[in-house]
């Protein structure tokens, strides 16, 4: 990985080495210092660039991936985008099986990055041959020499963050970090980063962020998979209705749950107060920070690092749309919300 004032061979040279940026406003009433690891500075604008490059380069090293082969994954989100980007540079075909719930914008973005997209019906069960899991499995079996990334169940997802995100944070904080706050979706980011950091200093507290409607927090506390915890929620990218093996529960001290509404408002606040235009889960992670701050968890000398997984531009039709916020009931009145910052000249 190089530094930004150099000349680069291709866009992949810019993966990783993201900045740690001080949060000056959102947490100013709490004791301690607060910093964001802003992953939107990756070329694909999210932390998933790290796992895409790492997993693909591991497969190359092991001789599993050969030139012109196909890489398969089941996501319309950040991971799909990053795999598509890496595939273009390295000359692989990228095939993504996604749910018909995915927005047209997301599908267009993946196609723009050269991916072949299979849109699979959202209403069928996971074991139906038309589900995106089954379609991905079938394509993987049919295509000789293909690689299935399978991020929720791939140990390399943890290893990628152990090899990069963890060491970067340790170096950037000069070993002063006392708390890590990170969202847990596949769990790769928090698990790999925490594992590395705890090897340097076992006293570092690691806090995962989970959604209401997800099984993860309860599973961490009780080792029980409680289906009653599962219900729909709006934040994309954190929490889950299954237990991913890419989550190492032993390196996480506790989970904090956050609501869709508070996370959305906090994401907007990050733009207005810190000038950081970041995604919904960055709002969720900062919301968790605030809840812990209110509980008086942080002390004067604490050095808290929060991971901001992606960029705000991916949420224009959601969190950053007044209309969407209103439809969710997150604003009292759409006119009231919009009027704060807009004037129509007639
Ligand atoms: N935020 C966003 C926007 C994501 O796409 C993801 C990945 N699902 C996460 C947070 C969580 O990262 P991880 O999968 O490494 O737990």
């Amino acid at each position: 990985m190089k530094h930004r004032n150099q000349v680069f061979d291709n866009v992949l040279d810019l993966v990783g080495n993201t900045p740690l940026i001080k949060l000056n406003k959102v947490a100013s009433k709490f004791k301690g210092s607060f910093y964001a690891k802003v992953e939107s500075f990756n070329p694909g604008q999210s932390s998933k660039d790290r796992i895409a490059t790492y997993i693909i380069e591991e497969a190359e090293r092991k001789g599993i991936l050969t030139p012109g082969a196909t890489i398969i994954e089941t996501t319309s989100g950040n991971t799909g985008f990053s795999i598509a980007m890496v595939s273009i540079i390295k000359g692989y075909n990228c095939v993504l099986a996604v749910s018909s719930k995915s927005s047209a914008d997301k599908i267009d973005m993946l196609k723009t990055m050269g991916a072949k997209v299979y849109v699979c019906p959202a209403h069928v069960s996971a074991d139906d041959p038309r589900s995106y899991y089954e379609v991905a499995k079938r394509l993987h079996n049919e295509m000789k020499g293909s690689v299935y990334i399978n991020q929720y169940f791939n140990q390399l997802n943890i290893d990628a963050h152990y090899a990069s995100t963890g060491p970067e944070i340790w170096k950037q904080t000069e070993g002063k970090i006392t708390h890590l706050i990170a969202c847990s979706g596949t769990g790769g980011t928090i698990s790999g980063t925490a594992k590395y950091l705890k090897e340097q200093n076992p006293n570092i507290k690691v806090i995962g962020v989970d959604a209401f409607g997800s099984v993860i927090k309860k599973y961490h506390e009780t080792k029980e998979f409680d289906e009653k915890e599962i219900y729909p929620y709006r934040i994309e990218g954190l929490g889950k209705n299954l237990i991913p093996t890419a989550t190492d529960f032993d390196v996480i001290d506790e989970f904090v749950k956050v609501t869709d509404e508070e996370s959305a408002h906090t994401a907007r606040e990050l733009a207005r107060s810190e000038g950081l235009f970041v995604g919904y889960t960055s709002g969720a992670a900062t919301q968790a920070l605030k809840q812990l701050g209110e509980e008086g968890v942080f002390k004067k000398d604490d050095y808290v690092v929060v991971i901001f997984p992606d960029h705000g531009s991916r949420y224009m039709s959601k969190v950053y749309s007044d209309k969407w916020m209103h439809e969710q009931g997150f604003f009292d009145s759409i006119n009231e919300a919009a009027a704060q910052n807009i004037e129509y000249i007639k």
Side-chain angles (χ1 to χ4, degrees):
M1 280 182 267
K2 299 180 183 177
H3 290 285
R4 284 181 194 250
N5 56 359
Q6 291 177 268
V7 174
F8 301 96
D9 291 335
N10 63 59
V11 77
L12 299 187
D13 272 351
L14 281 149
V15 174
N17 276 335
T18 53
L20 196 63
I21 303 178
K22 186 158 196 224
L23 297 172
N24 292 299
K25 304 265 173 57
V26 283
S28 57
K29 67 174 179 176
F30 307 127
K31 289 184 188 141
S33 309
F34 301 88
Y35 293 83
K37 178 80 169 155
V38 187
E39 291 291 292
S40 55
F41 281 85
N42 280 298
Q45 299 187 320
S46 89
S47 55
K48 295 297 181 179
D49 283 2
R50 297 178 188 269
I51 71 164
T53 39
Y54 188 88
I55 294 174
I56 290 169
E57 285 173 3
E58 274 296 299
E60 287 173 336
R61 258 192 295 278
K62 290 180 189 147
I64 300 167
L65 259 180
T66 49
T70 298
I71 303 172
I72 301 170
E73 184 57 320
T74 48
T75 170
S76 63
N78 289 324
T79 305
F81 188 88
S82 296
I83 294 169
M85 184 184 80
V86 177
S87 298
I88 287 167
I89 303 298
K90 291 180 170 284
Y92 300 115
N93 301 309
C94 173
V95 167
L96 301 169
V98 310
S99 149
S100 55
K101 270 199 310 198
S102 310
S103 72
D105 271 0
K106 279 192 170 173
I107 293 170
D108 284 344
M109 223 160 71
L110 300 173
K111 286 187 349 207
T112 303
M113 293 303 278
K116 160 106 193 190
V117 183
Y118 290 81
V119 182
C120 309
H123 59 272
V124 299
S125 65
D127 54 5
D128 187 293
R130 294 164 299 165
S131 80
Y132 55 90
Y133 296 113
E134 288 299 320
V135 168
K137 266 199 259 168
R138 174 172 63 76
L139 293 169
H140 178 44
N141 290 335
E142 283 171 9
M143 292 176 178
K144 235 176 138 253
S146 65
V147 168
Y148 179 20
I149 302 281
N150 205 7
Q151 62 172 340
Y152 282 90
F153 299 98
N154 191 336
Q155 169 67 32
L156 296 174
N157 178 356
I158 297 182
D159 297 350
H161 292 284
Y162 178 84
S164 70
T165 321
E168 285 174 29
I169 292 175
W170 183 250
K171 213 162 143 204
Q172 285 169 310
T173 64
E174 297 170 328
K176 290 194 241 134
I177 176 172
T178 57
H179 297 74
L180 174 75
I181 302 177
C183 294
S184 194
T186 66
T189 306
I190 190 166
S191 305
T193 308
K195 183 163 177 253
Y196 181 87
L197 291 173
K198 285 200 172 189
E199 281 174 10
Q200 316 311 309
N201 175 4
N203 296 325
I204 295 171
K205 285 272 165 295
V206 175
I207 299 130
V209 185
D210 192 23
F212 288 100
S214 154
V215 294
I216 302 290
K217 178 177 160 68
K218 177 141 189 201
Y219 182 79
H220 180 249
E221 287 163 7
T222 64
K223 288 281 169 290
E224 180 199 347
F225 179 85
D226 184 358
E227 277 192 4
K228 291 198 290 297
E229 291 283 302
I230 302 171
Y231 56 87
Y233 55 90
R234 298 176 187 88
I235 313 176
E236 296 161 66
L238 90 166
K240 204 63 196 166
N241 55 1
L242 51 80
I243 307 299
T245 58
T247 307
D248 179 352
F249 286 89
D250 293 340
V251 295
I252 303 165
D253 293 290
E254 65 166 304
F255 278 93
V256 171
K257 286 210 183 201
V258 291
T259 67
D260 289 333
E261 179 165 5
E262 287 176 312
S263 302
H265 285 294
T266 302
R268 287 172 157 245
E269 185 189 348
L270 283 168
R272 280 196 318 272
S273 65
E274 308 282 351
L276 285 168
F277 186 45
V278 286
Y280 201 171
T281 53
S282 304
T286 309
Q287 178 57 32
L289 181 165
K290 285 187 184 180
Q291 289 170 204
L292 293 164
E294 295 292 350
E295 286 169 24
V297 165
F298 304 121
K299 306 281 173 282
K300 184 167 72 55
D301 294 328
D302 283 348
Y303 194 123
V304 182
V305 173
V306 191
I307 298 185
F308 284 3
D310 70 352
H311 194 259
S313 57
R314 299 211 164 141
Y315 304 88
M316 288 315 297
S317 55
K318 295 205 166 164
V319 182
Y320 300 116
S321 153
D322 287 347
K323 184 168 172 281
W324 184 86
M325 289 288 282
H326 178 65
E327 283 164 1
Q328 314 312 310
F330 295 170
F331 280 151
D332 292 338
S333 142
I334 187 161
N335 293 330
E336 207 177 281
Q340 291 169 6
N341 267 328
I342 210 163
E343 242 180 77
Y344 295 98
I345 310 292
K346 298 213 169 100

